[in-house]
């Protein structure tokens, strides 16, 4: 390994905490691969910024580094990849803020419906990218139905970066939107 100069340009708005959808576009030695994710914790009432998830995904904490684990599972060392591009859309919703008089349980009650909405959009985005011919590393398992209006906005936003997704004729079958 020889020392080289590298840069990372981070848009300031990617620091906003809240519920985001994102796609990692990874240039691997085996070709382009995608990873679909979201912010909005499952086990706490927090929804961080995509910037925060960026480092976690490529770090070494086994509870947070899903992208690293998926690449390693394909026999790819993340350090051997040419580039990682984080494409993020949001915040779709703001993080639930702590308020006087609200317990952690109260905050979770406010957080969960939003998390479920965004999780359903994460799932349909991953499935739609796969169906559109993209190599998606992960499978998103989510039981909640997506909202068609929300999906159309997500499809349009990510379609600007992933043109196969932007084809107007593309639609998931109604069977994909089940509980």
């Amino acid at each position: 390994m020889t020392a080289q100069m590298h840069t990372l340009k981070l848009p300031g708005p990617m620091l906003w905490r809240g519920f985001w959808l994102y796609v990692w576009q990874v240039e691997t030695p085996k070709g382009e691969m995608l990873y679909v994710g979201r912010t909005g914790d499952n086990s706490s009432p927090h929804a961080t910024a995509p910037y925060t998830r960026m480092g976690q995904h490529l770090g070494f904490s086994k509870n947070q580094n899903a992208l690293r684990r998926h690449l390693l599972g394909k026999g790819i060392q993340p350090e051997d990849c040419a580039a990682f591009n984080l494409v993020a859309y949001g915040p779709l919703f703001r993080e639930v803020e702590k308020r006087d008089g609200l317990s952690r349980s109260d905050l979770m009650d406010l957080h969960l419906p939003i998390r479920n909405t965004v999780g359903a959009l994460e799932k349909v985005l991953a499935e739609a990218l796969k169906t559109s011919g993209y190599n998606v590393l992960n499978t998103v398992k989510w039981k909640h139905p997506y909202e068609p209006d929300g999906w159309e906005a997500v499809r349009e936003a990510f379609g600007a970066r992933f043109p196969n997704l932007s084809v107007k004729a593309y639609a998931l079958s109604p069977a994909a939107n089940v509980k």
Side-chain angles (χ1 to χ4, degrees):
M1 170 179 20
T2 304
Q4 299 176 5
M5 179 64 69
H6 302 278
T7 63
L8 173 68
K9 182 178 180 179
L10 179 69
M14 284 182 82
L15 300 175
W16 284 109
R17 294 179 65 94
F19 293 84
W20 292 72
L21 290 172
Y22 57 84
V23 175
W24 278 101
Q25 197 172 17
V26 185
E27 296 173 28
T28 79
K30 297 180 180 180
E32 182 182 86
M33 296 180 183
L34 306 180
Y35 178 94
V36 179
R38 65 169 167 82
T39 61
D41 290 358
N42 284 334
S43 59
S44 77
H46 302 293
T48 190
Y51 160 76
T52 306
R53 285 296 292 136
M54 183 173 67
Q56 294 168 336
H57 264 296
L58 296 168
F60 294 94
S61 174
K62 68 179 181 176
N63 293 329
Q64 298 176 333
N65 69 353
L67 176 56
R68 175 176 285 279
R69 286 192 324 270
H70 279 284
L71 289 168
L72 291 172
K74 297 277 186 190
I76 300 167
Q77 290 292 323
E79 293 78 6
D80 293 336
C81 293
F84 293 85
N85 190 20
L86 181 62
V87 181
Y89 178 58
L92 301 171
F93 302 95
R94 292 180 153 216
E95 179 181 40
V96 174
E97 295 181 18
K98 294 180 183 178
R99 291 178 246 166
D100 288 341
L102 292 182
S103 67
R104 183 183 186 285
S105 178
D106 295 332
L107 294 172
M108 282 301 288
D109 288 344
L110 296 170
H111 173 87
L112 290 176
I114 302 168
R115 183 212 59 189
N116 292 344
T117 297
V118 178
L121 292 170
E122 174 194 17
K123 178 182 179 178
V124 73
L125 176 59
E127 290 174 352
L129 286 165
K130 283 180 187 178
T131 302
S132 298
Y134 294 97
N135 185 355
V136 179
L137 288 163
N138 61 318
T139 299
V140 178
K141 297 177 181 174
W142 206 258
K143 62 183 177 181
H144 303 280
Y146 68 89
E147 298 190 14
D149 289 343
W151 164 240
E152 182 55 28
V154 167
R155 188 203 57 74
E156 188 173 310
F158 281 98
R161 185 56 170 248
F162 303 100
N164 292 354
L165 190 62
S166 69
V167 175
K168 284 288 188 185
Y170 177 81
L172 287 177
S173 70
N177 192 22
V178 295
K179 289 185 180 183

